[in-house]
């Protein structure tokens, strides 16, 4: 049952295809019973009442009557007037078979920034808004790293961007930006929760957005965008002292300069943690944006250096004698502050979603910062999250810079997205797992069983980017009429309609319509097998058990995975009953047991940070999280994929491990010795120098195209950091079998079963069912 790793490496360059939609099953059983027997849910991973479907290649067209018939609900729709010239020889692009995904630029949408407007033309696009929330309860060295990253980031901002600054420690400081002669700071206590109304009242913005709110005198000079004054990039920073960082509200602007970041001045008593009021700081930021830019794309970018120890969102007290809650404490409901903190962040999430704003978190600390509690606010707003050990670490610095970069490195950060799903009448939508929030649009397409954000066919995505992925779960619910002979449509249709604010400011609508086949699952297993996508299935199951672990107490993820895998192999395997040696799997299932074996051993079912990234990344990236790839570099052969197994280690080989969050370059013992002796510096050994350089070049390609930036680990066989590789390998050779290990290879000190033993047990149990 061991699968050749080169089979996975030989996948198409763009496995998601032009539609960026991948289904677990590409042929669907007609009945609910047969769907349940498939074990793996009917689901789609997408990168973002009466029927509201749009024109698509699967529609039937009556050219004479100028109407099109929807394949989802069979309603008849007239073409708009500007389609009057349509004919069989003159069809719009939406009807081309290859155009199953079409993106529309809405009429009257604003042009890109910098494009001159004609008299009476559309309004200028709303400027992007970035509100930085910086933790100052860190040492001076860490704050210096923050300053350097901020200088680079702000230099990359577009000229019309609006920027604001909140710093916090024991108290929250909201800085006014724009006046070089006098700095002005609004101070908020960090001990108790502050309502949005109290925040706005203290800022003098209680009437913002309401009729009669007085207009302030216009600032002299400079162009305006929607009545707002954009900052100039030249001279913007002087040791983090911006000359003009405007954050504006309706007709009133909050401005300030003279911001010199320094560590929190409040003393920390012996035996105590620093007093850090993270929750109040985020409340102030959300309240400010709610008055300033409601409904406009804006991001709160929080840079956190430790756990919240005071006020709303607190996860641990300031007394060092109280340890920070562990994962076991959360599982046993023994974390005293957890539920209260989650309730606070749930309220914050609802406020941000209603405003259309995003919360991003960059946490740089050796201790926990409370991502498990903050998860609801980050995920429901579509925010980004990065976890590193220090603000000086490359993981933080490279990831932070990527947010603001343009060109090929751009994340294509978009705002204010909504997703609506239309589908054939025999299909119901159970819900979505991923970075979104339900818009509670109930209707006939909603299934009775809810998974994730359910009971709706529309969702809000405050923030989305080029890698954003949502997992949609479906249920089969055939009507009596469709079950009758002669009334069965052989095809099923699903349409995804995504509207969003493009990074350049325009509003766009992206319409993707897919068509798949219905099959009789009881008699036509072959078509089901041919339509199985094992990578998508592995990721969907990983996301599904992640949700179940959060929602169900004492849920045993490993046991659930094992049972599901046994049922799947029993259903679709080829074998003679009670004969394990006869067992085999179709090539479309051959890698699936390997995915499940590595998923059982991974940290994704334990840590909030990994769960958040697993739930939002593309299928290709998520597969790398579940099952790392391993490439071998040697004199004997070109770079090639090898088994993720300890047996792949050899003294004369360099291994490159891509585990998504880390990239490991591992030198065999002989290679390391030659390198230490300096052979690569000698002219006659240029081939060895090239061998040493090749994995580094490949690693840089991986790092350059990934967010968050992975950690690069360079290590040698038997070195202390070799653990980063050994922890991911299949333990086919352990201390119990050391006598069978060939020279130059390695062993793993563990009692975990190997993949071979795992497969033997799986085969024995599958043929018994």
């Amino acid at each position: 049952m061991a699968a050749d790793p080169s089979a996975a490496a030989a996948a198409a360059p763009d496995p998601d295809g032009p539609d960026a939609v991948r289904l677990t099953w590409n042929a669907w059983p007609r009945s609910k019973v047969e769907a349940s027997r498939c074990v793996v849910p009917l689901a789609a991973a997408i990168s973002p009442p009466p029927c509201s479907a749009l024109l698509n290649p699967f529609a039937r067209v009556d050219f004479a009557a100028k109407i099109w018939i929807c394949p989802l609900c069979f309603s008849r729709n007239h073409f708009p007037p500007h389609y009057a010239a349509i004919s069989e020889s003159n069809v719009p692009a939406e009807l081309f078979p290859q155009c199953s995904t079409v993106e529309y630029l809405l009429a009257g949408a604003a042009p890109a920034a910098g494009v001159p407007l004609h008299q009476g033309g559309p309004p200028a696009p709303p400027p992007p808004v970035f509100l930085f929330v910086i933790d100052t309860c860190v040492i001076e060295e860490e704050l210096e790293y923050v300053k350097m990253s901020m200088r680079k980031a702000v230099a990359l901002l577009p000229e019309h961007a609006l920027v604001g600054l909140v710093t916090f420690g024991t108290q929250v400081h909201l800085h006014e930006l724009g006046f070089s002669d006098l700095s002005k700071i609004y101070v908020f206590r960090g001990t108790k929760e502050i309502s949005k109304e109290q925040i706005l009242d203290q800022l003098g913005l209680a009437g913002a957005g309401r009729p009669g709110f007085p207009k302030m005198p216009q600032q002299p000079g400079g162009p305006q965008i929607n009545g707002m004054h954009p900052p100039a990039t030249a001279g913007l920073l002087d040791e983090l002292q911006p000359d003009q960082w405007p954050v504006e509200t309706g007709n009133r602007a909050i401005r300030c300069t003279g911001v010199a970041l320094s560590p929190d001045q409040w003393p920390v008593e012996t035996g105590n943690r620093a007093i850090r009021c993270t929750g109040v700081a985020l409340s102030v930021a959300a309240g400010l944006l709610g008055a300033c830019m409601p409904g406009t794309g804006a991001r709160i970018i929080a840079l956190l250096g430790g756990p919240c120890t005071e006020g709303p969102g607190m996860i641990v007290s300031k007394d060092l004698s109280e340890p920070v809650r562990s994962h076991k404490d959360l599982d046993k409901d023994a974390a005293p502050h957890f539920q209260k903190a989650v309730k606070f962040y749930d309220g914050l999430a609802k406020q941000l979603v209603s405003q259309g704003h995003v919360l991003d978190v960059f946490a740089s600390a050796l201790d926990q910062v409370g991502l498990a509690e903050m998860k609801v606010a980050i995920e429901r707003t579509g925010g980004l999250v990065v976890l590193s050990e220090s603000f000086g670490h490359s993981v933080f610095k490279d990831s932070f810079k990527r947010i603001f970069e343009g060109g090929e490195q751009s994340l294509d950060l978009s705002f204010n997205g909504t997703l609506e799903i239309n589908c054939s009448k025999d299909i119901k939508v159970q819900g979505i797992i991923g970075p979104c929030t339900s818009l509670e649009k109930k209707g006939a397409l909603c299934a009775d069983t809810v998974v994730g954000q359910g009971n709706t066919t529309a969702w809000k995505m405050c923030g989305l980017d080029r890698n954003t992925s949502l997992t949609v779960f479906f249920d089969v619910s055939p009507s009596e009429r469709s079950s009758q002979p002669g009334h069965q449509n052989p095809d099923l249709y699903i349409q995804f309609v995504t509207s969003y604010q493009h990074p350049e400011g325009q509003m766009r609508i992206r319409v993707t319509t897919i068509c798949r086949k219905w099959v009789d699952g009881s008699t036509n297993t072959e078509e089901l097998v041919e339509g199985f996508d094992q990578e998508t299935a592995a990721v969907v199951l990983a996301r599904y058990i992640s949700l179940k672990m959060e929602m169900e107490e004492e849920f045993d993820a490993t046991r659930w995975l094992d049972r599901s895998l046994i049922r799947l192999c029993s259903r679709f395997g080829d074998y003679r009953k009670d004969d394990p040696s006869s067992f085999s799997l179709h090539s479309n299932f051959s890698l699936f047991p390997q995915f499940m074996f590595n998923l059982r051993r991974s940290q994704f079912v334990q840590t909030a940070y990994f769960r958040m990234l697993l739930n939002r990344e593309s299928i290709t990236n998520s597969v790398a999280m579940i099952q790392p790839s391993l490439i071998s570099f040697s004199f004997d052969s070109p770079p090639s994929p090898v088994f993720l197994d300890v047996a792949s280690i050899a003294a004369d080989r360099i291994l490159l491990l891509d585990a998504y969050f880390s990239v490991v370059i591992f030198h065999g013992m002989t290679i390391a010795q030659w390198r230490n002796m300096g052979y690569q510096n000698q002219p006659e050994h240029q081939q060895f120098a090239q061998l040493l350089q090749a994995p580094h070049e490949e690693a840089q390609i991986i790092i350059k195209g990934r967010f968050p930036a992975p950690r690069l680990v360079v290590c040698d066989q038997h070195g202390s950091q070799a653990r980063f590789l050994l922890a991911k390998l299949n333990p086919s050779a352990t201390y119990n079998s050391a006598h069978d290990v060939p020279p130059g290879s390695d062993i793993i000190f563990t009692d975990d079963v190997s993949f071979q033993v795992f497969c033997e047990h799986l085969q024995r149990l599958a043929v018994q069912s």
Side-chain angles (χ1 to χ4, degrees), residues 343-362:
K343 183 179 179 181
F344 164 75
Y345 284 113
D346 183 67
L348 182 66
K350 292 177 181 177
Q351 178 184 344
L352 290 172
V353 169
S354 67
Q355 297 171 181
H357 298 150
V358 185
L359 172 62
D360 300 324
V361 172
F362 288 80

Side-chain angles (χ1 to χ4, degrees), residues 28 32 40 82 121 177 218 251 272 344 351 370 387 391 417 457 497 539 564 569 594 597 602 660 670 699 719:
W28 287 24
K32 189 185 291 286
V40 175
H82 57 278
L177 309 176
Q218 182 172 313
N251 300 303
N272 283 357
F344 164 75
Q351 178 184 344
L387 189 62
F391 288 118
T457 56
V497 182
V539 174
S564 297
C569 291
Q594 203 170 324
F597 173 75
S602 71
Y660 192 82
T670 302

Side-chain angles (χ1 to χ4, degrees), residues 186-235:
Y186 293 90
V187 181
F188 299 84
R189 292 177 59 187
T191 55
K192 62 179 182 179
E193 189 169 349
I194 306 175
S195 68
K196 177 180 177 181
E197 290 71 22
Q198 290 174 316
I199 294 169
L200 300 183
D201 185 61
Q202 183 166 337
L203 297 176
L205 305 177
R210 295 206 298 262
F213 186 63
K215 292 188 176 182
M216 298 301 294
Q218 182 172 313
Q219 293 286 336
Q224 289 194 15
I225 298 178
N226 290 353
M228 303 176 186
H229 294 273
T233 55

Side-chain angles (χ1 to χ4, degrees), residues 547-593:
L547 176 70
K548 290 178 75 71
M549 288 185 69
E550 293 180 0
M551 304 300 295
E552 300 179 16
E553 293 185 9
E554 300 181 0
F555 174 73
D556 190 334
T558 302
R559 186 177 181 85
W560 188 91
L561 272 178
D562 290 345
R563 287 181 171 179
S564 297
L565 182 58
I566 293 168
R567 288 173 55 211
L568 186 76
C569 291
S570 178
R571 171 79 165 87
F572 296 103
D574 185 14
Y575 57 88
R576 294 186 298 272
K577 188 171 177 60
D578 297 327
D579 183 4
S581 63
S582 67
F583 184 87
S584 64
L585 281 173
H586 188 277
S587 59
N588 282 5
F589 288 82
S590 60
L591 292 174
F592 194 73

Side-chain angles (χ1 to χ4, degrees), residues 52 62 89 96 148 165-166 182 279 396 430 452 505 516 612 620 659 680 720 722 735 767:
S52 56
D62 184 337
S89 59
F96 290 176
M148 288 189 289
L165 177 65
V166 174
L182 178 65
F396 166 75
Q430 293 182 322
R516 296 295 187 269
M612 279 190 279
T620 303
Q680 69 276 15
S720 61
Y735 63 91
V767 300

Side-chain angles (χ1 to χ4, degrees), residues 523-723:
T523 61
N524 197 349
T525 305
E526 183 177 343
E527 278 197 59
L528 280 177
V529 171
E530 290 292 342
F532 184 67
D533 185 334
Q534 54 193 332
E535 289 188 349
T536 304
V539 174
V540 167
L541 282 187
R543 294 173 179 176
Y544 186 59
I545 65 168
S546 173
L547 176 70
K548 290 178 75 71
M549 288 185 69
E550 293 180 0
M551 304 300 295
E552 300 179 16
E553 293 185 9
E554 300 181 0
F555 174 73
D556 190 334
T558 302
R559 186 177 181 85
W560 188 91
L561 272 178
D562 290 345
R563 287 181 171 179
S564 297
L565 182 58
I566 293 168
R567 288 173 55 211
L568 186 76
C569 291
S570 178
R571 171 79 165 87
F572 296 103
D574 185 14
Y575 57 88
R576 294 186 298 272
K577 188 171 177 60
D578 297 327
D579 183 4
S581 63
S582 67
F583 184 87
S584 64
L585 281 173
H586 188 277
S587 59
N588 282 5
F589 288 82
S590 60
L591 292 174
F592 194 73
Q594 203 170 324
F595 290 147
M596 295 299 99
F597 173 75
N598 286 288
L599 179 60
R600 293 167 84 256
R601 305 174 70 222
S602 71
Q603 67 266 46
F604 297 102
V605 294
Q606 299 175 349
T607 310
Y609 174 59
F610 297 122
R611 288 180 189 173
M612 279 190 279
L613 289 171
L614 179 69
N615 286 345
R616 67 165 289 120
E617 283 297 318
S618 67
I619 293 296
T620 303
N621 286 344
S622 297
V623 168
M625 298 181 196
I626 295 171
Q627 179 165 301
S629 63
L630 192 63
I631 300 177
S632 169
F633 296 80
S634 67
F635 289 115
D636 302 330
S637 60
S640 57
V642 293
F643 287 109
L644 193 67
D645 194 292
V646 67
S648 296
I649 295 177
D652 59 350
R653 177 184 283 182
I654 302 175
L655 296 177
L656 175 64
L657 176 79
D658 178 10
Y660 192 82
F661 296 99
S662 61
V663 175
V664 182
I665 299 175
F666 177 92
H667 301 96
M669 186 167 50
T670 302
I671 296 287
Q673 290 174 350
W674 290 345
R675 182 205 60 211
N676 294 339
M677 295 172 68
Y679 285 174
Q680 69 276 15
N681 300 322
Q682 300 175 12
E684 64 269 26
H685 294 297
Q686 285 304 301
Q687 187 178 2
F688 178 59
Q690 294 171 0
L691 178 65
L692 287 179
Q693 184 61 27
H696 285 270
E697 293 174 351
E698 185 68 25
Q700 288 306 315
I701 293 174
I702 295 172
I703 292 172
K704 187 177 180 180
R706 182 163 297 166
F707 184 92
R711 174 178 183 173
L712 178 62
V713 178
V714 181
C715 60
D716 299 334
Q717 187 176 2
H718 306 310
S720 61
Q721 290 194 309
R723 67 185 187 277

Side-chain angles (χ1 to χ4, degrees), residues 19 92 146 149-150 255 265 436 477 527 587 607 612 638 700:
D19 295 331
V146 171
S149 293
M150 288 289 292
R255 300 175 180 274
Q265 299 301 308
C436 64
S477 182
E527 278 197 59
S587 59
T607 310
M612 279 190 279
Q700 288 306 315

